[in-house]
Each structure stands twice: as structure tokens, then as C-alpha cells.
Amino acid sequence: MTARRPSPMWRKVSLITSYELHMRRRVYWAGDDPPGGPVTAASSQPGLTGSTSHASLEPPSYRRPRRLGDTVVTHLVDRIVSGAYPVETVLPTEPELCQEFGVSRTVVRESIKLLEAKGLVKATPGRGTRVLEPIGWNLLDPLVLEAQIRYDSDLSILDDLVNVRAALECDMAAQCARVITPAQAEALKRQANVLAETLHDPDRYGREDVAFHEMIMLASGNRLGHAIIHGIHAKARLSSRYNGDPNREELLQSLAEHRQIESMILQGDAQGAAAAMRVHIVGSWGRRRPGVRGAMGQEAGS
């Protein structure tokens, strides 16, 4: 008795089902969330909970990246910056990392090279890969900066970031006062008015605040300064400790400072624009800075 062959319709349904399954797998491996929600470090490993702490060896959240090497690099950066792998520590061997992350030796070697490029480690044949001093870490690297901010217990990194931001933005505000065009001046006026109109919505005000500063940096023509601020400020704004929780009085103070910056720029007063920008950046950080002792914290409290 011969086996009955599936009907053409059944074969078609089977092909569609297989194709859909294949596409779902492709989307998932490309980095999107699978059905049931995103993959996290806690949910993807038995025995881990969703809560995180500074003592954890894993970043607070984890979504499968497009490249396997990104997984290794992200987690090792986090462990180094958090102190889980202290300075002068030798990282686990290639076979150990291969087993932990489920990747090939090639992926591990590429990941170590990326860590070296970030200034975090030094690989020496026969001696392993050693963690270097923080002074040599590349803080302009997005992964390194994000991890530094996450584990910045005394806020020293955020203090440094604010100082760098003040130095660069003061210079750009001065240059903006010298070269701003009539069209750019009108746009800056409108943006200052938008800030005034959004005082009732702190989240919206925060976004419009960023747009106001972006306008000044772009009008200054300092592309390098703008790129640096854009990179470091974007990472800082991921931290609730940097953003704070401003009340209406603090928002009104912020608006007054933005109006002063606007006024100095529109008058063509370069020195006045730089001074107003410094008062705003340093002063606003002093108002919202959490109560942790540090260089700027002591200054703000004096």
C-alpha cells in the first residue's frame, strides 16, 4: 500500500508556515524582540532576576545585538568599568569566554581588540589580557562613557562632563553671538518662546531645552565642539541622576537663564553670552545635583 502524498494545498500551507517561522527567526536575530517581550540578561539566564545593582556583573538591560561580538564587548566593558574585573586583573581565557558567551575564538579575539582600542585592556602573548588604569580609558567611546555614568557613585564623571560641556558651550555661545545670521536669530527667539510655553510639562521642556542649545552650537559653526557635546550629553541624559526632577520654580529659573543667553547673543555680546551660558550650565547642575559629595557638590553647597 503506497503512502498517500500530501495535497497541493497542504504543501502550500506548510511552505507558508515554514517561511513565516524563518522570517520571525530572522527578525529576532536581527535584534528585534521575540514574542513575549525583550530578552534581558536576567530572563535569558537561569537563576537571575530582573533586578539589578552595581554589584551585578551584567549591564542593567540586554537586547540581543546584530553581531555576537557586540554581546561580548558590551558585557566585558560593563564588568571592567564596574570593578568586577579590577585594574591589573587578567581577563578569563579565550576558551572560558567562548564557553560563557557561546561564540568562536575569532569572535573573542575581535572583541579583545575592540577593548584594546577603547583603552580598557592590554593583550600580551603568553600573559593574557590585563585590565588597564582608568586614566587611559576612552571616555568619548559611547559604551565606555555609558558604563562610567552608570557606575559613577560619587558623580565625579558627571561633574567632569558638566565642566567640559560648560567650557565648550561657553566658547560656542560667544562665537554664535559673533556670527549668527538674522534667520538663525529669529529661530532662536522662537525656540526661547517655546521653552516659555512648555513650563507646565517638564519632559517637553527638557527636550526643547536641548533643542535651544543645539541651535546655538550649530550657529557657532564649531562642528567638532558640537559633535563632542552631542555625544557626551546624550549619554548623560540617560541617567536620572543627571536629569533630576525639576519643580516649577527651578524651571522658571532655567527659563530666565535661557532668556539671558538669548539676549546676549542677539545683542552680539560675545563675552556676555559666554558668561550667561556658564551661569546656566554650572548653576542648573548645582541645583539638580544629587546630595553626593564631590568637587562640584562641595562648591554648590558652599
Side-chain angles (χ1 to χ4, degrees):
M1 186 174 179
T2 58
R4 183 177 179 183
R5 298 179 62 186
S7 66
M9 180 59 72
W10 172 252
R11 288 199 300 272
K12 182 177 181 181
V13 171
S14 298
L15 287 172
I16 293 174
T17 303
S18 299
Y19 175 77
E20 289 177 343
L21 179 60
H22 171 67
M23 289 305 295
R24 287 183 183 179
R25 285 174 176 165
R26 283 187 62 190
V27 170
Y28 171 55
W29 285 108
D32 290 344
D33 295 334
V39 177
T40 64
S43 64
S44 63
Q45 299 182 47
L48 291 181
T49 64
S51 62
T52 59
S53 68
H54 285 185
S56 171
L57 292 183
E58 310 301 340
S61 62
Y62 163 57
R63 175 177 292 187
R64 185 180 294 275
R66 293 180 183 275
R67 295 177 52 189
L68 292 174
D70 294 342
T71 304
V72 181
V73 172
T74 299
H75 283 65
L76 291 181
V77 166
D78 190 84
R79 293 175 187 182
I80 292 169
V81 173
S82 70
Y85 294 156
V87 173
E88 296 299 331
T89 294
V90 176
L91 296 189
T93 63
E94 281 186 9
E96 290 171 333
L97 292 174
C98 290
Q99 181 176 8
E100 177 182 356
F101 293 103
V103 297
S104 67
R105 288 198 175 211
T106 300
V107 170
V108 169
R109 288 168 185 166
E110 290 177 352
S111 300
I112 296 301
K113 288 179 181 179
L114 289 174
L115 293 178
E116 284 190 293
K118 299 175 191 298
L120 298 176
V121 301
K122 174 66 176 177
T124 305
R127 298 180 59 186
T129 302
R130 180 173 51 88
V131 177
L132 300 178
E133 293 283 348
I135 191 66
W137 297 354
N138 180 11
L139 293 183
L140 293 181
D141 179 272
L143 275 179
V144 177
L145 179 59
E146 186 176 347
Q148 281 273 206
I149 292 173
R150 187 161 61 246
Y151 293 104
D152 187 20
S153 58
D154 62 357
L155 302 183
S156 60
I157 292 297
L158 287 178
D159 286 340
D160 290 345
L161 185 149
V162 170
N163 282 326
V164 170
R165 184 186 168 204
L168 289 175
E169 285 203 50
C170 288
D171 183 73
M172 286 187 276
Q175 182 64 8
C176 178
R178 299 185 190 101
V179 302
I180 191 169
T181 66
Q184 290 170 333
E186 286 301 316
L188 191 63
K189 288 181 189 177
R190 289 195 298 270
Q191 188 59 27
N193 291 335
V194 170
L195 281 174
E197 295 166 1
T198 57
L199 285 170
H200 65 284
D201 185 347
D203 290 339
R204 169 88 186 279
Y205 183 92
R207 295 192 296 272
E208 300 299 345
D209 184 344
V210 172
F212 180 90
H213 287 265
E214 286 277 328
M215 285 183 173
I216 293 172
M217 289 187 285
L218 288 171
S220 76
N222 187 338
R223 293 186 299 164
L224 180 58
H226 174 248
I228 293 171
I229 296 300
H230 187 78
I232 65 175
H233 197 224
K235 294 303 179 185
R237 282 178 57 80
L238 295 175
S239 169
S240 60
R241 293 182 299 167
Y242 179 79
N243 295 320
D245 186 17
N247 56 37
R248 183 169 177 80
E249 182 180 349
E250 290 170 336
L251 290 177
L252 286 170
Q253 177 67 32
S254 170
L255 177 62
E257 291 169 357
H258 283 90
R259 288 294 194 188
Q260 181 66 9
I261 295 168
E262 172 201 9
S263 175
M264 293 295 98
I265 289 175
L266 297 184
Q267 291 177 42
D269 185 343
Q271 289 186 343
M277 183 64 79
R278 175 168 290 279
V279 167
H280 167 59
I281 292 176
V282 176
S284 61
W285 173 236
R287 289 191 294 271
R288 69 180 187 270
R289 189 183 191 277
V292 179
R293 292 185 66 80
M296 292 189 69
Q298 292 172 357
E299 178 182 327
S302 61

